[in-house]
Amino acid sequence: MTVEGTAARSTTRRSGGTGKRASAARKKKTATSATAEPELVQLLTPQGERVEHPDYAIDPTPEELRGLYRDMMLTRRFDAEATALQRQGELGLWASLLGQEAAQIGSARALHDDDYVFPTYREHGVAWVRGVDPTNLLGMFRGVNHGGWDPNSNNFHLYTIVIGSQTLHATGYAMGVAKDGADSAVVAYFGDGASSQGDVAEAFTFAAVYNAPVVFFCQNNQWAISEPAERQSRVPIYQRAAGFGFPGVRVDGNDVLACLAVTKAAVERARSGQGPMLVEAFTYRMGAHTTSDDPTKYRRDEEREAWEAKDPILRLRTLLEKEKLADKAFLDAVDEESDALAKRVRDAVRTMPNPDTMAIFEHVYADGHALVDEERAQYAEYLASFEPEEAK
Amino acid sequence: MAATKMPLAKALNESLRKAMEDNPKVLVMGEDVGKLGGVFRITDGLQKDFGEDRVIDTPLAESGIIGTAIGLALRGYRPVAEIQFDGFVFPAYDQIVTQLAKMHARALGKVKVPVVIRIPYAGGIGAVEHHSESPEALFAHVAGLKCVSPSNSSDAYWMMQQAIESDDPVIFFEPKRRYWDKGEVDTAAIPGPLHTARVARQGGDLTLAAYGPMVKTCLEAATAAADEGRSLEVVDLRSMSPIDFDTLQRSVEKTGRLVVVHEAPVFLGTGSEIAARITERCFYHLEAPVLRVGGFHAPYPPARLEDEYLPGLDRVLDAVDRALAY
């Protein structure tokens, strides 16, 4: 998926490289740079070893562990298929989640059905866990709609393209949850780039001031298209929460158990009326930002290789095998299921009908609008003017 | 009779109160709307009676106000968000345009975002920069939003409740220099539809079309013109999105001439759209081109110059003269 490095690429890096060198120097000076790895909650090492954390204990059953593995495998396979479909011209664009499976599956598995999720546009794993049919995620990328699912049937809002906008919607929704006296929580997903947006800062302010039951789940995948995380913040993102008056924690975003445990704690905290929390999942986007992007222009192969060694799925598989929690039959069954899902997705995309022309005019307003009615009628008349000729 | 005389500001206050009484899901939110009752006191006393949970003093963050209002609407509430002054809406413009306006369509009708955004707008009160702008065309241009502006107390009372009842986002432009004008409000009346224009004065020689603060100016112009033997019809559009072109067309077919008056800059403004559409609809009835009177293609001027900038009687009557001279 990622184009391998070339000499030309390293030239690019050198010519545009003052930022790189300067940032390396900054890193030395600043103890807590945005990309350092301090205080990372980890429960499963890259070698597949379980480790303890004093604040975030978790004891998943073997079945739950297998479930997490299955979720991550299916999500990765779905994602790979979508990327392939884009390459085949079936999708206009795809935003791959490759590498972020643990952050998404772990966090989403911490939620109850009545919790509400406000995603950005890369939360395919979260959507999977929420029960949104993966084929529904592809409509907007194929260009047949701007959404594709009913947000209320899975408590999973539509993807949001404008960066960070949804963190305010989540906060407002959470304010409503609190007014209702309900004990559900709301989760806003966003990325490291979005953390620079004013809307995210305003969401933090509102959430803190109104003690809203919202969890801000930031997937710091290190890159906002070509801008590194250190261009977004001079302190680790999770530390920003302190300035707003609520806790922030950094979790190993490639550790599904840690993501599950920390999100569970954050969501419980919100549900019990203790207000918002920021979770920064320190992870890595292994693919491109979207299929339109070329990461070889701005990042080094070694970086990706270092992160590949921390692959979220591999480490859980190592644990499952080492502790004999999954046999070959199970692993094979997941592989088969993955292939079946990929085929289903492929077939669904290729047979996805184009929307009816008149859909342009549908749902612009809930209560109708005279201008839309007029234009709809005019355009219908225009289209109808071709029909007699065709009939002949 | 339930009819009483009250200033436009009081009518808005009574309307918000009625809406909150009728529907526990209605919330009022914004900067200073609680204890202070808003800088124009439109929400005066509401927090005392409905509590801090329903009349929400917010942080000073416009995008935050609208973004959280969207979230509250998604949860089933009907937020009425106040933007303190017209020129302060732009930090929220992204949320309004990219999110609020489009969400119902993106969800194929599965979610509704019945948010009302109240904006005290337009000039004439001698305020400082950013406190006197008329950005209505910027919102009316955006599909998914509805835009209205009352010109009198009765409309203020009824249109606010209708805007809150609407399942669509409504930008509610309040003509701040008319806040203190008194008018009859019949709280037992049966109001007309929110987006219907109203013939405010009958006439036969020329139609003046206006909305919000300029309706009063146009009525005064019609009175002055009557002294000169000219019979002007005044149409109060009441809604800038959608625009009730049918009512306007009927008037223009009768009078044959149209002058559109608004405070906002003329260039690419509401009047441009009206001129184009009425020309299409009434080409053979028109005795003169549709003329526009409004602001200049310049930033809203300092207060000492706003009387020059804002259309007054003379500029309206000058346009009437020009139209009648064809």
Side-chain angles (χ1 to χ4, degrees):
Chain A
M1 199 167 307
T2 304
V3 182
E4 290 307 313
T6 62
R9 196 217 65 234
S10 62
T11 308
T12 309
R13 183 153 48 84
R14 251 200 313 281
S15 61
T18 47
K20 268 276 186 269
R21 266 200 299 278
S23 69
R26 273 206 304 275
K27 218 176 286 179
K28 280 177 204 154
K29 272 185 268 172
T30 318
T32 52
S33 97
T35 47
E37 299 186 30
E39 302 158 64
L40 198 66
V41 177
Q42 193 178 67
L43 300 178
L44 179 64
T45 69
Q47 292 74 40
E49 304 282 349
R50 290 289 306 269
V51 286
E52 298 285 326
H53 189 280
D55 301 329
Y56 300 101
I58 191 171
D59 191 20
T61 64
E63 197 185 348
E64 284 167 337
L65 289 171
R66 284 191 294 270
L68 294 168
Y69 174 79
R70 174 180 171 270
D71 285 337
M72 289 199 288
M73 282 293 285
L74 288 171
T75 301
R76 179 171 288 188
R77 185 70 181 85
F78 162 71
D79 185 73
E81 189 58 36
T83 302
L85 285 164
Q86 194 281 332
R87 294 295 185 233
Q88 294 160 20
E90 300 286 351
L91 300 177
L93 184 78
W94 183 246
S96 168
L97 69 17
L98 185 66
Q100 298 177 225
E101 295 87 351
Q104 295 194 14
I105 300 299
S107 60
R109 280 288 169 218
L111 309 182
H112 296 178
D113 285 349
D114 64 351
D115 294 334
Y116 211 104
V117 170
F118 286 84
T120 173
Y121 46 77
R122 201 190 296 281
E123 271 66 76
H124 320 314
V126 183
W128 167 263
V129 172
R130 297 306 286 176
V132 176
D133 188 319
T135 61
N136 286 342
L137 301 178
L138 300 167
M140 71 181 292
F141 292 100
R142 187 170 171 84
V144 302
N145 59 42
H146 293 310
W149 58 92
D150 177 355
N152 291 324
S153 50
N154 303 80
N155 281 5
F156 184 79
H157 193 68
L158 300 175
Y159 278 178
T160 301
I161 304 273
V162 177
I163 300 297
S165 295
Q166 76 283 1
T167 58
L168 278 168
H169 308 158
T171 302
Y173 195 94
M175 288 162 63
V177 167
K179 282 182 197 307
D180 293 343
D183 64 355
S184 47
V186 182
V187 184
Y189 285 86
F190 61 106
D192 42 297
S195 74
S196 300
Q197 288 280 353
D199 273 5
V200 173
E202 294 189 21
F204 287 0
T205 297
F206 276 67
V209 164
Y210 298 114
N211 205 44
V214 57
V215 173
F216 297 106
F217 193 89
C218 177
Q219 291 171 84
N220 177 357
N221 70 10
Q222 313 302 327
W223 293 94
I225 308 189
S226 71
E227 302 292 351
E230 65 209 21
R231 271 290 157 94
Q232 314 299 337
S233 180
R234 294 299 305 272
V235 299
I237 289 168
Y238 77 96
Q239 288 183 2
R240 288 176 158 195
F244 291 88
F246 55 88
V249 62
R250 178 177 272 183
V251 58
D252 182 342
N254 285 21
D255 170 355
V256 70
L257 300 184
C259 289
L260 175 63
V262 170
T263 311
K264 216 171 218 174
V267 167
E268 283 308 323
R269 196 177 174 282
R271 277 196 202 104
S272 63
Q274 296 175 76
M277 184 164 163
L278 170 62
V279 178
E280 178 192 357
F282 200 75
T283 182
Y284 192 70
R285 181 242 292 162
M286 293 213 271
H289 164 67
T290 68
T291 45
S292 299
D293 173 35
D294 178 7
T296 65
K297 281 184 176 289
Y298 55 82
R299 68 183 192 189
R300 295 163 298 138
D301 281 353
E302 304 87 79
E303 181 183 299
R304 187 191 146 115
E305 283 156 15
W307 278 94
E308 273 172 356
K310 305 179 199 174
D311 188 289
I313 300 185
L314 201 59
R315 72 172 77 175
L316 182 59
R317 185 175 170 129
T318 307
L319 175 78
L320 289 173
E321 288 178 332
K322 202 156 43 187
E323 301 199 356
K324 303 202 185 320
L325 300 172
D327 56 15
K328 187 171 181 308
F330 167 77
L331 297 173
D332 288 350
V334 171
D335 287 344
E336 275 171 38
E337 204 184 345
S338 298
D339 288 341
L341 173 65
K343 182 176 181 334
R344 182 163 77 84
V345 165
R346 198 157 56 238
D347 293 345
V349 165
R350 288 181 175 156
T351 56
M352 205 174 267
N354 283 341
D356 183 79
T357 302
M358 301 313 281
I360 290 170
F361 304 99
E362 295 305 311
H363 308 299
V364 183
Y365 292 89
D367 298 339
H369 188 283
L371 177 63
V372 176
D373 294 344
E374 185 183 317
E375 292 186 350
R376 181 200 286 115
Q378 282 170 354
Y379 201 62
E381 199 179 322
Y382 168 75
L383 292 178
S385 72
F386 293 98
E387 276 166 15
E389 281 183 61
E390 281 169 13
K392 285 172 207 166
Chain B
M1 271 304 284
T4 43
K5 209 160 188 178
M6 65 177 83
L8 193 150
K10 176 70 175 162
L12 289 169
N13 179 271
E14 291 290 335
S15 186
L16 289 168
R17 176 177 293 279
K18 180 75 167 52
M20 295 189 81
E21 281 168 358
D22 288 353
N23 185 349
K25 292 292 184 184
V26 175
L27 307 172
V28 166
M29 56 195 291
E31 297 161 12
D32 305 306
V33 298
K35 281 200 175 65
L36 180 66
V39 291
F40 289 106
R41 310 292 183 270
I42 306 302
T43 56
D44 196 28
L46 296 180
Q47 191 182 65
K48 184 167 71 67
D49 295 338
F50 295 98
E52 292 183 11
D53 219 35
R54 292 190 61 198
V55 181
I56 307 165
D57 273 321
T58 65
L60 270 73
E62 282 77 12
S63 192
I65 293 169
I66 303 306
T68 53
I70 291 169
L72 282 159
L74 292 172
R75 180 70 191 181
Y77 287 88
R78 302 186 91 84
V80 183
E82 176 177 305
I83 297 293
Q84 203 161 58
F85 281 91
D86 35 56
F88 304 161
V89 73
F90 296 105
Y93 196 63
D94 166 46
Q95 280 288 346
I96 296 171
V97 171
T98 68
Q99 306 299 322
L100 181 63
K102 296 180 165 75
M103 207 169 272
H104 180 261
R106 291 182 59 224
L108 301 177
K110 302 291 188 191
V111 301
K112 293 188 171 72
V113 274
V115 176
V116 174
I117 301 175
R118 295 182 37 240
I119 307 180
Y121 86 121
I125 64 164
V128 296
E129 196 185 12
H130 309 304
H131 288 67
S132 302
E133 299 182 8
S134 299
E136 63 269 21
L138 295 172
F139 294 91
H141 189 66
V142 178
L145 303 177
K146 290 180 174 173
C147 303
V148 299
S149 181
S151 69
N152 58 68
S153 298
S154 177
D155 276 351
Y157 181 79
W158 288 112
M159 288 168 70
M160 176 60 74
Q161 289 173 74
Q162 291 171 318
I164 294 169
E165 280 165 18
S166 168
D167 280 335
D168 287 310
V170 179
I171 317 293
F172 197 96
F173 289 98
E174 300 174 0
K176 65 171 90 83
R177 72 158 134 158
R178 306 298 183 211
Y179 271 150
W180 304 281
D181 288 359
K182 283 188 177 177
E184 287 282 323
V185 176
D186 181 354
T187 56
I190 297 167
L194 178 59
H195 302 288
T196 306
R198 174 179 70 98
V199 178
R201 179 187 171 116
Q202 300 276 350
D205 296 338
L206 179 146
T207 302
L208 288 174
Y211 51 84
M214 280 295 111
V215 173
K216 185 180 182 183
T217 305
C218 288
L219 286 169
E220 288 168 356
T223 302
D227 293 343
E228 299 166 7
R230 287 169 172 172
S231 166
L232 306 189
E233 181 146 308
V234 178
V235 176
D236 179 356
L237 293 174
R238 299 171 78 248
S239 171
M240 294 86 87
S241 177
I243 290 172
D244 178 4
F245 285 108
D246 294 340
T247 298
L248 200 51
Q249 179 177 352
R250 277 194 297 275
S251 176
V252 174
E253 285 177 357
K254 182 173 77 172
T255 63
R257 289 179 171 83
L258 175 63
V259 174
V260 189
V261 185
H262 53 57
E263 291 191 18
V266 164
F267 182 69
L268 288 174
T270 313
S272 311
E273 182 61 36
I274 291 170
R277 293 220 178 229
I278 287 299
T279 303
E280 280 183 38
R281 285 181 176 228
C282 307
F283 189 72
Y284 294 110
H285 289 90
L286 285 170
E287 305 288 340
V290 179
L291 300 182
R292 292 163 293 159
V293 183
F296 307 113
H297 195 56
Y300 193 88
R304 298 284 174 178
L305 284 175
E306 67 179 348
D307 282 348
E308 298 296 321
Y309 178 92
L310 294 170
L313 276 191
D314 289 342
R315 277 174 59 199
V316 174
L317 291 171
D318 174 66
V320 168
D321 287 345
R322 281 188 285 132
L324 287 167
Y326 276 91

